[in-house]
């Protein structure tokens, strides 16, 4: 056997498929999942990024929510938390390239399902968004607020 040769016994016509999504695996992929499925596999809870609750007390973040400027919101949250776009993408379910275009103003977030996914993924308190922009599973009783929020009430 020459250096660099492999002893792959599979016939060249056989195709391996990803166990996650069923797409055809690259010949250089020696695993059972494609890269996208491997990356999106559930991480241990400790490895998942999180946005601290005190971020929502920031005036700029609140202003972006009022204006429904989700690109500015994502950028401000990332500035306050030193989070990468990949981390925010993992939290929200939006892709990193889409978040990049959103933050730069090239795209606008108008799809209500994506808006709800973004707000839920970021953990934005309902007192800042209102119940119309949230899923019913996160509804809390009226008057319930998270500590440290600045809602403008006296």
């Amino acid at each position: 056997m020459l250096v660099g040769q492999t002893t792959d016994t599979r016939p060249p016509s056989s195709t391996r498929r990803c166990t996650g999504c069923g797409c055809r695996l690259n010949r250089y992929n020696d695993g059972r999942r494609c890269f996208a499925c491997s990356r999106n596999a559930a991480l241990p809870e400790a490895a998942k990024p999180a946005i601290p609750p005190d971020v929502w007390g920031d005036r700029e973040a609140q202003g972006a929510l009022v204006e429904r400027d989700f690109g500015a919101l994502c950028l401000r949250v990332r500035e306050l938390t030193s989070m990468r776009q990949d981390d925010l993408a993992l939290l929200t379910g939006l892709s990193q390239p889409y978040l990049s275009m959103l933050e730069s103003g090239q795209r606008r977030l108008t799809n209500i399902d994506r808006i709800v996914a973004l707000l839920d993924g970021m953990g934005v308190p309902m007192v800042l968004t209102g119940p119309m922009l949230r899923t019913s599973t996160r509804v809390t009783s009226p008057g319930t607020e998270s500590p440290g929020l600045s809602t403008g009430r006296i």
Side-chain angles (χ1 to χ4, degrees), residues 18 20 28 42 49 63 65 67 76 88 91 94 96 98 102 104 106-107 110 116 119 129 136 140 146 153:
C18 172
Y28 301 110
L65 279 168
E67 296 294 323
R76 183 62 182 160
L88 196 56
L91 284 175
L94 300 175
Q96 181 275 324
Y98 188 82
L102 191 64
S104 68
Q106 294 175 352
R107 299 287 303 263
T110 58
V116 169
L119 296 175
T129 62
S136 60
T140 58
S146 298
R153 285 189 254 164

Side-chain angles (χ1 to χ4, degrees), residues 11-132:
S13 63
S14 72
T15 57
R16 296 179 310 120
R17 300 274 177 191
C18 172
T19 58
C21 67
C23 74
R24 186 172 169 231
L25 291 175
N26 184 313
R27 69 180 175 193
Y28 301 110
N29 183 334
D30 58 355
R32 297 178 60 209
R33 296 182 144 215
C34 66
F35 175 74
C37 289
S38 296
R39 184 186 62 191
N40 292 333
L43 293 174
E45 203 57 40
K48 288 186 179 178
I51 298 173
D54 61 331
V55 167
W56 307 117
D58 181 68
R59 294 267 183 221
E60 287 184 45
Q62 289 180 6
L65 279 168
V66 168
E67 296 294 323
R68 303 290 189 240
D69 186 352
F70 299 109
L73 174 68
C74 292
L75 186 59
R76 183 62 182 160
V77 166
R78 287 191 327 99
E79 287 172 352
L80 293 170
T81 60
S82 300
M83 195 176 277
R84 300 175 311 148
Q85 285 180 342
D86 287 333
D87 297 332
L88 196 56
L90 183 65
L91 284 175
T92 62
L94 300 175
S95 69
Q96 181 275 324
Y98 188 82
L99 283 170
S100 177
M101 289 185 285
L102 191 64
E103 289 181 2
S104 68
Q106 294 175 352
R107 299 287 303 263
R108 300 229 1 120
L109 191 58
T110 58
N111 182 309
I112 190 69
D113 294 329
R114 284 189 173 182
I115 292 171
V116 169
L118 177 82
L119 296 175
D120 282 342
M122 292 174 76
V124 180
M126 193 176 305
V127 297
L128 296 177
T129 62
M132 293 292 288

